[in-house]
Amino acid sequence: MDFSFTEEQTLLRNMVQSFVQDNYDFDSRMKIVRSEEGMSRDIWGQFAELGLLAAPFSEELGGLDGGPIDIMVIMEELGRGLVVEPYLPTVVLCGGILSRHASPAQQEANLPGILGGENIWALAYSEPQSRFNAADVLTSAKADGVGYVLNGTKAVVAAAPWADKLIVSARISGEQRDTNGIGLFIVDKSAAGVSTQDYPTVDGNRASEVTFENVAVSGDALIGSADTGLSILEEALDHGIGAICAESLGHMKSLNDATVEYCKTRKQFGVPIGSFQVLQHRMVDMFMEYEQSVSMTYMVNMKLSEGEDERKKASSGAKVQIGKSGRFVGQEAVQLHGGMGMTEELSVGHYFKRLTVIDTQFGNVDHHLKRFASA
Amino acid sequence: MDLSYSAEDNAFREEVRAFIKEAFTPDIVRECERSKNGYISKEAHITWQKRLHAKGWAAPNWPVEHGGAGFTPTQKFIYTHEMEAAGAPHTIPFGMTMVAPVIMKFGTEEQKAQYLPDILASNVWWCQGYSEPGSGSDLASLQMKAEDKGDHFLCNGSKIWTSMAQHADMIFCLVRTSNEGKRQQGISFLLIDMNTPGVSVAPLITLDGPAKDQQEINQVFFEDVKVPKENLVGNLNEGWTCAKYLLEFERGNPYSGGLNRTLGKVRSIASEVQSDGAALIENSDFSARLANLEQQVMVMEATELRIFSDVSAGDNIGPGSSSMLKTRGTELQKDVSELAMQAIGQYGLPFVEDTLASTNESDIGMAGAAPITPIYFNVRKTSIYAGSNEIQRNIIAKAVLGL
Ligand SMILES: Cc1cc2nc3c(=O)[nH]c(=O)nc-3n(C[C@H](O)[C@H](O)[C@H](O)COP(=O)(O)OP(=O)(O)OC[C@H]3O[C@@H](n4cnc5c(N)ncnc54)[C@H](O)[C@@H]3O)c2cc1C
Ligand SMILES: Cc1cc2nc3c(=O)[nH]c(=O)nc-3n(C[C@H](O)[C@H](O)[C@H](O)COP(=O)(O)OP(=O)(O)OC[C@H]3O[C@@H](n4cnc5c(N)ncnc54)[C@H](O)[C@@H]3O)c2cc1C
């Protein structure tokens, strides 16, 4: 048993931390969020130069031979900066799927663009009716000669406005919620028949409703087979959970630090408000929520490569924890900041909003408690 | 003990409902349903309040001689409850329920004649200048200065979190007119015309992401603002008495009507949203959460009925009761907004800036979704403003438990 980080991982953390400090302070972040595009291509290019985009991939694939723990370290630090650039969808979700399940030809065609920072990817899996059930797929993929034709709509696809490529779940056979018959397809966003409705999300990110109308893809757009699509997808979503758990640690830590600092300096009734015991206990509870989230985040990221049942139990257990803790920490941080906590001027509210979205992302507490129980 | 209403009360309830049916027109309904912060456009607020005025119901709290509605306490409860249940606009409180009672009690005859009719008719929009950057929970520490210059006060300083100041014609301020003695003793209550040179308003943008000019709160700056002496209400250095009176007058409002309405909305959303091939309402986890809140709102309603019926027996609701209602009511508002957000799942994510201008149909993914997450963000305010819930608990500890 070992909960310590390797020297490389510590160096990685320090590097990302100082990059975020130097290039992604709150004002820079808000400038990026409010810009036309809503992300910075320049920052993305620097991610590539720093090796962040290559970090989790094996050396054979051109990567730096890291894994979930490296992703965890990176995501935690990106969380501290509330970084909006699409590391999660591009590297963790899509890159992860390609590296674990794509054919050598698919990897060769697609991974260099991810590692080099040339391409942004989005995972289009949820649908207007699917809520948190990844198997609830109405988007269809009809075999057509050697290829497929896709039809359907994907909902709230994170980072899709920026993406060049999509991985799309589509039903090759079976009924709406069958677990078999789902395929994952690599689709160019510029392909004929793909259209998007782009919008900002409440946490300062961007997403799209993506519609596929008779989109023709070749047979080698399919990753794995029709019978493995869902399990590949679920595994990717669990990796996503590991990553956003880490991201949320960055948020909670920032909020707890900011709140303690604020309560030490803000004076009312002639004393720092931090001297009121009721606020002290609230901050102690925030601290304990954070610590428990740290434990679960480490645990899930160490279990991502284990057997399916264990992975599911760990990721749902962790997601329940960060859903609850993130909500508590975010809400109380706002409360303890009083009126200041309600404004967009402080970063506090922005962490709170991102934590709110994370609670829903990849399934909320109720969903994962149920999955936890059945895993 | 008797839970039933008298025949007169029931008839009154029907009259309120009939009025709402007629006056709460679709344009105003739409804005109310799509508001992120509980406010609608200035025009819509004024239109609505003028309709109330025409009916004689603009001011349920006022004595009849000033144009008050003349409700009995039970009628007032029914009235507020029905308005809340319908989701009708809240009367902007700053004129009608805040400054007006102070003017009635402490103002001169000239001040009453000058201000009250315009408040009643919603001709003048007021805002409340109490809080300052350094003075929130500890209001008595306020610093905005008003110097006696013979025929006028010269005002310097700033007020913050001022709701709807961008629409306001007038602001009532607590200002410091003396630094001697106890802090409370050097405060005066001053009415200031927002158009006076030296007054400026800067918007503060809240988490819900308001569209331009729809921001809830502002900072108001005063730079060498000359305020005529006749705008002082009550005696110099006795503004704290006015401020306290204002708080006493504001006797906790019922929350259960509004909470029930929002829960009804959550229920109907959950009947439409799909989860694993069935309506979300059939999901046992979700329906348990909903039932849990419905039960708590029933508790709230029973508590309100008990407390307000005591008032009709001539008792004062008292600081303990109003603090309890405020604390529990706002906690429930926050919980209900959270459940509403849970109900819409992924469609809580898309951000729409101007929800008043857009329509249910133009919302992304689900009709009516756009304001739901912003409301969740916005109602965080309810446990912060009007005396934070920590302060309310301090009040109960002190006033009720004697700690
Ligand atoms: C089953 C049992 C076994 C025990 N075993 C041992 C033992 O083996 N050896 C031993 O030495 N003692 C033992 N104790 C005693 C125990 O340590 C004391 O009960 C404990 O320290 C609390 O003291 P008290 O009972 O005097 O309560 P008090 O100290 O009077 O506390 C009363 C309440 O006030 C709260 N309170 C007190 N101070 C504060 C504060 N500053 N801020 C906020 N809240 C406060 C407390 O949390 C508590 O709720 C035992 C007690 C129990 C019940
Ligand atoms: C949306 C909104 C609208 C508002 N509208 C108006 C308006 O129109 N006019 C106006 O004058 N003001 C308005 N306010 C201001 C509001 O009244 C203050 O925000 C409130 O009094 C709290 O003050 P503060 O923000 O300075 O927080 P602080 O007083 O600094 O409080 C910060 C935290 O410390 C806690 N705290 C403070 N003192 C104690 C204590 N003794 N014990 C335990 N905990 C304590 C508080 O509960 C809070 O959690 C508005 C505020 C908001 C958010």
Side-chain angles (χ1 to χ4, degrees):
Chain A
M1 176 127 354
D2 182 8
F3 272 85
S4 62
F5 293 98
T6 64
E7 203 177 317
E8 288 79 23
Q9 286 160 350
T10 304
L11 287 173
L12 177 65
R13 179 186 298 281
N14 293 343
M15 177 182 75
V16 183
Q17 202 168 66
S18 44
F19 178 81
V20 169
Q21 267 162 14
D22 298 344
N23 301 282
Y24 222 92
D25 62 20
F26 180 58
D27 287 345
S28 319
R29 190 257 181 189
M30 291 317 292
K31 268 204 200 88
I32 293 172
V33 165
R34 289 174 184 144
S35 68
E36 176 86 28
E37 188 168 31
M39 69 163 280
S40 162
R41 298 274 167 182
D42 180 46
I43 295 281
W44 194 248
Q46 295 186 56
F47 280 5
E49 275 166 37
L50 292 172
L52 302 187
L53 306 181
F57 302 106
S58 69
E59 275 176 33
E60 304 99 78
L61 296 174
L64 302 175
D65 230 6
I69 303 299
D70 302 78
I71 290 180
M72 179 178 92
V73 165
I74 293 170
M75 286 298 291
E76 184 177 346
E77 297 306 325
L78 297 184
R80 281 201 146 234
L82 278 171
V83 169
V84 295
E85 280 65 25
Y87 193 82
L88 174 71
T90 304
V91 176
V92 182
L93 298 175
C94 295
I97 290 174
L98 292 169
S99 69
R100 288 186 296 269
H101 301 285
S103 67
Q106 286 169 330
Q107 291 176 336
E108 217 166 286
N110 294 301
L111 280 176
I114 290 179
L115 275 64
E118 287 95 39
N119 297 138
I120 288 172
W121 287 63
L123 180 60
Y125 69 97
S126 100
E127 301 195 353
Q129 82 294 342
S130 70
R131 203 168 165 88
F132 307 126
N133 181 355
D136 191 333
V137 177
L138 284 172
T139 298
S140 64
K142 286 224 167 63
D144 179 28
V146 289
Y148 296 88
V149 176
L150 307 187
N151 278 288
T153 300
K154 293 292 173 179
V156 200
V157 183
W162 308 319
D164 312 288
K165 304 238 184 188
L166 309 169
I167 292 180
V168 183
S169 61
R171 185 161 290 291
I172 296 172
S173 66
E175 299 295 315
Q176 184 177 342
R177 283 177 302 281
D178 285 355
T179 50
N180 278 333
I182 297 170
L184 294 179
F185 294 89
I186 300 169
V187 181
D188 262 6
K189 205 180 81 177
S190 59
V194 179
S195 59
T196 62
Q197 180 191 9
D198 301 345
Y199 47 82
T201 50
V202 292
D203 57 350
N205 281 283
R206 302 282 169 105
S208 313
E209 303 297 283
V210 185
T211 307
F212 302 88
E213 224 183 307
N214 295 322
V215 177
V217 295
S218 63
D220 55 15
L222 177 64
I223 301 169
S225 73
D227 288 330
T228 53
L230 185 66
S231 76
I232 295 173
L233 178 59
E234 287 206 330
E235 178 195 46
L237 297 179
D238 284 344
H239 280 259
I241 286 173
I244 56 171
C245 284
E247 186 191 352
S248 79
L249 292 187
H251 306 144
M252 287 189 242
K253 179 88 172 98
S254 303
L255 283 174
N256 286 355
D257 290 351
T259 305
V260 168
E261 185 54 33
Y262 189 76
C263 289
K264 280 182 182 168
T265 48
R266 169 71 172 171
K267 283 192 174 163
Q268 290 290 279
F269 306 100
V271 294
I273 57 174
S275 65
F276 300 126
Q277 196 176 46
V278 65
L279 301 192
Q280 289 175 356
H281 286 192
R282 208 77 62 76
M283 287 183 273
V284 169
D285 287 341
M286 291 161 76
F287 165 78
M288 296 196 293
E289 290 297 330
Y290 167 73
E291 286 296 327
Q292 296 175 86
S293 301
V294 172
S295 313
M296 287 305 277
T297 301
Y298 289 4
M299 204 265 299
V300 62
N301 280 292
M302 287 188 280
K303 288 202 169 186
L304 283 175
S305 353
E306 306 213 345
E308 189 176 315
D309 284 351
E310 203 151 341
R311 187 198 77 222
K312 282 185 179 171
K313 190 117 191 158
S315 41
S316 285
K319 187 63 176 46
V320 168
Q321 185 61 38
I322 61 148
K324 291 200 282 196
S325 296
R327 200 182 308 166
F328 180 82
V329 169
Q331 292 177 347
E332 294 303 339
V334 170
Q335 178 70 20
L336 268 53
H337 277 80
M340 286 307 295
M342 285 299 300
T343 70
E344 294 234 315
E345 273 168 51
L346 291 192
S347 60
V348 169
H350 299 268
Y351 287 113
F352 165 56
K353 291 202 272 189
R354 177 69 193 130
L355 283 170
T356 303
V357 166
I358 283 182
D359 187 10
T360 302
Q361 206 170 0
F362 305 134
N364 64 10
V365 170
D366 283 352
H367 172 80
H368 280 289
L369 209 48
K370 206 175 222 159
R371 186 171 180 254
F372 177 82
S374 62
Chain B
M1 289 225 179
D2 182 5
L3 263 179
S4 59
Y5 288 98
S6 69
E8 292 79 24
D9 289 338
N10 283 328
F12 177 72
R13 183 192 307 282
E14 288 315 311
E15 191 184 352
V16 176
R17 287 184 180 168
F19 170 81
I20 292 172
K21 211 168 159 196
E22 194 180 313
F24 194 24
T25 43
D27 51 330
I28 303 180
V29 171
R30 187 184 65 87
E31 287 200 24
C32 288
E33 281 177 353
R34 304 208 31 99
S35 168
K36 295 177 179 181
N37 57 21
Y39 292 94
I40 52 180
S41 63
K42 183 177 184 178
E43 310 81 75
H45 271 299
I46 291 176
T47 305
W48 169 253
Q49 289 183 193
K50 282 187 180 288
R51 285 176 190 165
L52 288 175
H53 179 50
K55 174 80 181 164
W57 286 353
N61 289 309
W62 288 23
V64 182
E65 69 261 31
H66 289 298
F71 294 156
T72 66
T74 309
Q75 282 180 329
K76 210 197 122 196
F77 178 80
I78 292 173
Y79 174 81
T80 316
H81 192 87
E82 289 299 322
M83 288 291 175
E84 285 281 318
H90 296 135
T91 294
I92 300 296
F94 313 111
M96 209 78 77
T97 53
M98 293 186 177
V99 77
V102 171
I103 292 175
M104 285 175 208
K105 169 101 174 172
F106 301 98
T108 61
E109 289 312 312
E110 292 75 37
Q111 285 171 335
K112 289 180 201 170
Q114 183 179 352
Y115 297 114
L116 295 180
D118 278 339
I119 293 176
L120 190 67
S122 295
N123 293 332
V124 171
W125 189 300
W126 286 78
C127 64
Q128 178 190 26
Y130 275 22
S131 307
E132 297 182 7
S135 308
S137 299
D138 181 17
L139 187 58
S141 67
L142 61 94
Q143 294 297 327
M144 177 174 162
K145 211 162 57 175
E147 287 171 277
D148 191 336
K149 294 284 179 185
D151 65 334
H152 67 269
F153 292 105
L154 188 66
C155 295
N156 277 289
S158 151
K159 293 294 177 181
I160 198 169
W161 321 123
T162 323
S163 298
M164 295 289 130
Q166 75 270 34
H167 296 330
D169 308 298
M170 293 290 295
I171 181 169
F172 58 95
C173 288
L174 291 178
V175 292
R176 186 151 297 286
T177 40
S178 164
N179 284 311
E180 278 156 39
K182 267 182 67 184
R183 300 180 311 169
Q184 285 84 346
Q185 281 161 7
I187 291 172
S188 299
F189 195 99
L190 203 56
L191 313 179
I192 303 178
D193 188 328
M194 293 291 282
N195 288 314
T196 321
V199 179
S200 60
V201 176
L204 291 167
I205 304 307
T206 42
L207 305 179
D208 41 286
K212 196 170 154 34
D213 215 33
Q214 288 171 20
Q215 78 274 9
E216 177 164 6
I217 49 179
N218 304 272
Q219 186 161 6
V220 185
F221 298 92
F222 301 85
E223 222 185 301
D224 289 333
V225 176
K226 289 182 181 168
V227 180
K229 275 283 176 66
E230 61 260 28
N231 287 19
L232 176 73
V233 179
N235 295 328
L236 191 70
N237 295 330
E238 290 180 12
W240 195 251
T241 319
C242 302
K244 272 196 344 205
Y245 177 72
L246 189 158
L247 290 179
E248 273 169 39
F249 196 89
E250 257 199 292
R251 289 188 181 155
N253 277 312
Y255 289 84
S256 56
L259 289 166
N260 270 322
R261 180 179 53 81
T262 324
L263 279 176
K265 250 173 62 182
V266 175
R267 186 171 273 284
S268 79
I269 290 170
S271 313
E272 280 170 36
V273 171
Q274 292 292 298
S275 171
D276 288 326
L280 179 61
I281 194 80
E282 282 160 39
N283 174 307
S284 56
D285 299 321
F286 188 87
S287 62
R289 283 188 193 276
L290 182 59
N292 178 28
L293 283 176
E294 285 172 340
Q295 184 272 347
Q296 291 184 58
V297 171
M298 184 187 229
V299 174
M300 189 78 206
E301 185 167 0
T303 307
E304 285 172 354
L305 286 169
R306 182 166 69 87
I307 287 174
F308 287 109
S309 73
D310 262 2
V311 177
S312 49
D315 291 341
N316 194 319
I317 139 167
S321 295
S322 68
S323 291
M324 177 170 72
L325 291 187
K326 196 268 172 176
T327 304
R328 284 303 294 140
T330 54
E331 283 170 356
L332 282 168
Q333 283 178 333
K334 294 198 293 182
D335 289 350
V336 170
S337 74
E338 191 170 307
L339 191 68
M341 183 175 69
Q342 301 264 314
I344 60 173
Q346 64 206 12
Y347 282 119
L349 269 63
F351 175 72
V352 176
E353 187 167 11
D354 193 346
T355 51
L356 290 188
S358 62
T359 63
N360 277 342
E361 285 61 44
S362 61
D363 287 353
I364 291 150
M366 187 185 299
I372 289 179
T373 303
I375 289 172
Y376 169 78
F377 294 143
N378 181 269
V379 294
R380 302 298 108 202
K381 73 187 176 187
T382 61
S383 50
I384 295 170
Y385 68 11
S388 75
N389 286 10
E390 285 78 15
I391 296 296
Q392 303 296 341
R393 285 186 164 89
N394 287 349
I395 291 171
I396 297 175
K398 221 169 163 172
V400 182
L401 307 182
L403 292 165

